[in-house]
C-alpha cells in the first residue's frame, strides 16, 4: 500500500491496531463518546500567527462564531481558537459527550476524576461541566447538541 493510501499516520510503519480491553470497574460502556469540539487555548503572542497557520498556510475553512471565536473545520472535528490571557503556552481542551450529564457526573465522581468547573464559565442552563484528566488535559463533559456559540 502506498504512503498516500495509508495516510499521515500510516507513514510510521505498518503498525497493526487492536482495541485495548477494559480493566476493572468504570463507567458503563456507551456512557461517554468523544465530542466533535476541541479548543486550542492560545496566549496572546501566539494567537494571530496560529490563526494564519490554519486559515492561510493549511487553507482549512474557518468560521467566526457569534462570540468572535474562529472555528477551524478540522475534518470531522471543530477546532476552536480561543485567545486566552491566562495561559502562557497553548493548551488543547477536548469535549466528551454524555447522554445524561447527571449520570456522567456520578460515574466520574465514583472514579475520583478531578472537577475543574471554575476554569471557564459555561452558559446559563448548559447541561455539562469541566473535568481534568490525569495528564491535566481539560475536558468539557456535556450532553449532545449544546454548542456554546451559534454561528453568525
Amino acid at each position: 500500500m502506498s504512503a498516500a493510501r495509508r495516510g499521515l499516520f500510516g507513514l510510521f510503519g505498518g503498525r497493526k491496531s487492536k482495541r485495548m480491553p477494559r480493566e476493572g470497574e468504570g463507567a458503563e460502556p456507551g456512557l461517554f463518546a468523544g465530542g466533535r469540539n476541541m479548543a486550542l487555548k492560545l496566549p496572546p503572542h501566539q494567537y494571530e500567527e496560529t490563526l494564519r497557520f490554519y486559515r492561510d498556510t493549511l487553507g482549512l475553512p474557518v468560521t467566526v462564531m457569534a462570540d468572535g471565536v474562529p472555528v477551524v473545520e478540522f475534518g470531522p472535528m471543530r477546532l476552536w481558537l480561543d485567545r486566552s490571557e491566562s495561559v502562557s503556552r497553548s493548551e488543547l481542551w477536548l469535549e466528551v459527550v454524555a447522554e445524561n450529564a447527571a449520570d456522567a457526573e456520578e460515574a466520574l465522581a465514583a472514579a475520583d476524576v478531578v472537577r475543574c468547573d471554575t476554569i471557564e464559565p459555561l452558559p446559563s442552563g448548559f447541561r455539562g461541566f469541566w473535568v481534568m484528566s490525569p495528564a491535566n488535559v481539560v475536558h468539557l463533559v456535556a450532553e449532545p447538541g449544546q454548542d456554546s456559540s451559534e454561528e453568525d
Side-chain angles (χ1 to χ4, degrees):
M1 179 183 296
S2 74
R5 289 198 58 193
R6 287 192 311 257
L8 177 64
F9 293 104
L11 295 176
F12 300 109
R15 294 186 203 173
K16 302 273 184 200
S17 65
K18 66 178 184 175
R19 191 171 301 264
M20 292 182 67
R22 289 174 45 99
E23 294 181 9
E25 297 296 318
E28 291 184 33
L31 180 59
F32 297 100
R36 74 178 217 131
N37 292 298
M38 304 177 290
L40 189 55
K41 302 295 183 172
L42 296 160
H45 68 278
Q46 293 177 337
Y47 179 79
E48 290 296 331
E49 189 174 341
T50 301
L51 173 59
R52 280 193 301 273
F53 172 76
Y54 287 108
R55 183 192 59 213
D56 302 337
T57 303
L58 297 182
L60 297 176
V62 175
T63 301
V64 178
M65 303 305 268
D67 59 2
V69 176
V71 176
V72 179
E73 292 301 323
F74 204 83
M77 305 296 290
R78 295 191 319 176
L79 178 62
W80 297 68
L81 301 180
D82 289 341
R83 181 184 174 118
S84 179
E85 304 294 328
S86 63
V87 298
S88 61
R89 59 182 175 79
S90 62
E91 297 178 4
L92 187 63
W93 293 15
L94 303 173
E95 177 187 40
V96 176
V97 175
E99 284 298 321
N100 184 299
D103 290 346
E105 183 176 14
E106 186 176 303
L108 292 170
D112 295 323
V113 172
V114 175
R115 290 279 297 259
C116 55
D117 293 317
T118 59
I119 198 155
E120 185 174 290
L122 292 170
S124 177
F126 192 87
R127 294 175 315 279
F129 52 93
W130 299 103
V131 297
M132 188 80 68
S133 78
N136 292 323
V137 175
V138 175
H139 290 72
L140 172 62
V141 179
E143 291 182 6
Q146 297 186 100
D147 286 332
S148 60
S149 297
E150 295 298 319
E151 295 181 29
D152 279 337

